[in-house]
Amino acid sequence: MQDERKQATVGVLYGLAAFSFWGLGPIYFKAVAHVGTFEVMAHRVVWCVLLLAFLVTLVRSWPRILSALHDRRTLLLLAASTILITINWTTFIYGVNAGRVLETSLGYFINPLVTVFLGMIFLGEKLSPWRWISVVLAFIGIGVMAVEVEGLPWISLSLAFSFGFYGLVRKKAPLESFEGLFLETLLISPIALGFLLYLDWEGIGHFLNSNLTTDILLILAGPVTALPLLWFTSAARRVRLSTVGFMQYIAPSVQFLLAVFLFGEVFTDTHLITFGLIWCGLVIYSGESYHARRQRNRPAVT
């Protein structure tokens, strides 16, 4: 029992580290905003695949990696997840660089509700009345913003749906998180490396052509990407899924606070209504999930 509590405590610490790190991510991407969205994205892929190759070697995962490379179905799934995570990462970097961190935080707030919605459509999962209410509230919030700003919050929607579909695809790929991420970055790395070589050939690339600080920051794109995922994986193995589910709101909450109090983004009445509706939806969704889980775990009366 004591060992279980210790493992749970370690798991919570890993989870807090992962989601806090993801929440603080905009600070890093603001620091490399002068490099440009696509160049930063390319460095993120290249340095991440190099770091993960080292970790795969360290934990001796090459047999599973090679097995996946010879499995056509797994490769197709990973090709799809690679496209989705590329869209997600690129959109996030663009959103931060464009000074729209509020929209990125909104995207990750609505992601759990989008995931529920996708599960209903593609996996045949049934929604309880309370979950329907939470999903409807989220879409009303998006509609309010769309009407007020004369257009859909595409950054938020792109992040939420790309990550939602990413989770849907990865659910069917028989690989650990970091192994899957290694193969995803490996698949896209030729394009990323080719793009960086092209920039260097044209003399417009920043790596080794700017300053030492920029070079170090670009190399850190690998750890910035891989480390929180490894921490998240460690947390998921040690604590209940419900605990991880509640902790996932840390990242967008931190991004929200950074946007308003550090980056000085304007929080309008429209933002207040939109976020308010989505937060209400999340409270209903979380409360219903907690109640349903307690009902399932309640001992049967004989």
Side-chain angles (χ1 to χ4, degrees), residues 56 61 64-65 175-184:
V56 165
S61 291
R64 287 194 295 272
I65 297 293
L175 284 169
E176 294 288 344
S177 297
F178 84 95
E179 293 169 352
L181 182 62
F182 170 66
L183 282 174
E184 287 160 351

Side-chain angles (χ1 to χ4, degrees), residues 64-82 169-170 172-176 179-180 183-184 187:
R64 287 194 295 272
I65 297 293
L66 295 174
S67 176
L69 288 172
H70 287 89
D71 187 313
R72 186 171 180 273
R73 179 178 177 274
T74 301
L75 270 181
L76 287 173
L77 288 170
L78 287 172
S81 65
T82 298
V169 173
R170 285 291 282 114
K172 297 182 179 295
L175 284 169
E176 294 288 344
E179 293 169 352
L183 282 174
E184 287 160 351
L187 289 173

Side-chain angles (χ1 to χ4, degrees), residues 84 87-88 91 100 102-111 114 117-118 138-143 145-146 151-165 274 278:
L84 291 166
I87 292 171
N88 186 272
T91 303
R100 297 164 74 173
L102 271 175
E103 285 190 47
T104 68
S105 71
L106 176 62
Y108 288 116
F109 270 123
I110 65 176
N111 173 248
V114 167
F117 182 68
L118 293 177
F139 281 105
I140 291 174
I142 293 167
M145 182 168 281
L152 289 170
W154 69 268
I155 290 177
S156 304
L157 292 174
S158 295
L159 290 173
F161 276 92
S162 62
F163 203 71
F165 275 110
T274 298
I278 290 168

Side-chain angles (χ1 to χ4, degrees), residues 40-57:
V40 171
M41 178 61 193
H43 277 285
R44 187 175 192 179
V45 169
V46 170
W47 296 111
C48 186
V49 77
L50 290 174
L51 175 60
L52 288 171
F54 170 75
L55 293 175
V56 165
T57 303

